[in-house]
Amino acid sequence: MSTVATTDPVLTPGQASGISLRSRLQDALPKIVLAPSFVITLIFVYGFIVWTAYLSFTNSKTFPSYQLTGARAYQRLWRWTFESDPPSSWYTSITNMAIFGFLYVGICLALGLLLAILLDQKIRGEGLLRPIFLYPMALSFIVTGVAWKWFLDPGLGLEQTLHHFGWTSFHFDWIKNKDFVIYTVVIAGVWQASGFVMAMFLAGLRGIDGEIMKAAQIDGASPLQLYRRIVIPLLRPIFLSAFIVLAHMAIKSYDLVVALTSGGPGGSAWLPSNFMYEYTFKRNEMAVGSASAIIMLMTISAIIVPYLYSELKEKAR
Amino acid sequence: MRKFLSSAAIAVVMLAGVGAAEAADVKEVQMLHWWTSGGEAAALNVLKEDLSKEGFAWKDVPVAGGGGDAAMTALKAMVAAGTYPTASQMLGYTVLDYAEAGVMGDLTETAKKEGWDKSVPAALQKFSVYDGKWVAAPVNVHSVNWLWINKAVMDKIGGSEPKTFDDLIALLDKAKAAGVIPLALGGQNWQEATMFDSIVLSTGGPEFYKKAFNDLDEEALKSETMKKSFDNLAKIVKYVDPNFSGRDWNLATAMVIKGDALVQVMGDWAKGEFVAAKKTPDTDFLCYRFPGTDGSVIYNSDMFGMFNVPDDRKAAQVALATATLSKSFQSAFNVVKGSVPARTDVPDTDFDACGKKGIADLKAANEGGTLFGSLAQGYGAPPAIANAYKDVVSKFVHGQIKSSDEAVTQLVQAIDDAR
């Protein structure tokens, strides 16, 4: 694998020996400025990952305990993974994660791309439409959650309003329904993030060389072919960025679940992040919480690392 | 060299500054709590004034977020960092957890002088005394097995006080026939479990409740009586409105206050909501014990856990503990909070009808040995087990667990897991 050499030869230490203190300081400045944040990241991200991994093998309850007791926490999680009837909290969490992750990322990408393509047709009022789609992203998940909670509540929001207008047979109680509550989380999440994805794709579309498009059009490509064969493949790097942003938002969406559903009926809207927080801080089962955190980390790594690797390898080639 | 000297000087000044700050702390009570609602804050002011008369300043340790969860997380962080507050509001087994970790102070001397041993119910002492030492000062006793009924609705449907569980079902039927929501329930796991506490006591009686929910006796947990309790829960949950899931407890209380619903099964903090809405017992609302639980009290209690502070801050802590358990504060605070005093020798003159009944009930239950810790509220078993229990009850209420047989199996398994 070849690496792209961007290092300025002037800056290598061997050659810098003859240069004055001032310019050496100048060279070192980026490193000096970066050092504290590097150290902080090292400790507070990677250090604590190691610490969490350690705790997951102890019998930590309310407080961390450092006595290793084996993989009991993992054994419990493993058993819970297959407890589907009635579903254990862990089973609910991971199946919800699969449903939510798949739909949230998928719908956001599809909807974002569609909106971007439509907005790219040189329509009137684009300047107005763009922020309207984008600004839900400016809200925190808490605000999104509370707003959608009211909107979807059968006693307050949509259903009540339509009943008020005379459509009394209308019925939409997903947010109160244990089997469907996770889909309301998807709805709120997609509403918030798809505009942001649209903005990313729009930037990508604007970056595509017009000459290629023209050439293709001259060759007689239909608009559909144009997008399918040329535009969308060219947007591949944007797909990668959007996927990574969305995937990590999906995995960390703890606040959305809490604000929107307060966990759902009987805990049916939990995601692994909710499970982790509940067990670590509310149930005083720090070992189980840590184990679930480590499993989350490994799952993400299993998805992201190969994807990143293949993408970056392709770019380097 | 000059630079070194000046930085050394700065360090010395800073250290002196820290010393000065600590000296100021001595006359200060640092208190971590989550009583931020209007009534609660007003009630705490009584305590603040009592302390300021003795020359102690009050300092709230700020906790972001309203609920106790945020406060407990903050406390955990403080304790882990070794900066103890003078005291913290704590619940049940949490006190014992911290005492076991060796971070609690010792108030035995004060307790002896003030006679806490005799006036505080033994059931409460289980949580405020660890290893023979007083580590916490109980502020109040809440009781959980109450029915709160809107009197106007009750009169409209021609109901009377339900004496048995079947009476209650009949009453709920009447309300249903009259087009009122019979039961106001918030579909959050702790509310469902709080109601189930009462149902178990009503179904199985005091002996059974203690065996199952305080001693966690496996035979009792597996028994037919427990199955019947779940069946009764299934029966009563049929009377809630379809929109109950996720509703906050005070919204459910508001439904009863407004007359949209007939009854709520909730702890006596619900009375605070009635009082705040300018309602009086017996004319606007009724308070009955959950049918079949008369004579027993399922309690939880707010406590001020006392931390192991350095000797020079000890005087402030002792003053706080003494003031907390003084009869005047116990009376003044609990009149507002809706609960009853944590000592049984406080006169009930200032309390309303429900408060008077609560005080009498507590006294009788304490003497009769029928005062039980609420499992839903963290006074029956440690948090891990209490939460496992809440999970099972909630899953049963929301239909993930479909039969009472399965509920019992799940309950035993969940409690076993959490042990």
Side-chain angles (χ1 to χ4, degrees), chain A residues 252-265:
Chain A
K252 75 177 185 189
S253 29
Y254 164 86
D255 34 7
L256 185 61
V257 174
V258 171
L260 182 69
T261 67
S262 11

Side-chain angles (χ1 to χ4, degrees), chain A residues 29-52:
Chain A
L29 195 63
K31 282 178 201 150
I32 294 171
V33 173
L34 281 178
S37 67
F38 176 76
V39 171
I40 287 168
T41 309
L42 202 65
I43 295 172
F44 287 98
V45 177
Y46 299 98
F48 280 138
I49 288 176
V50 174
W51 193 50
T52 307

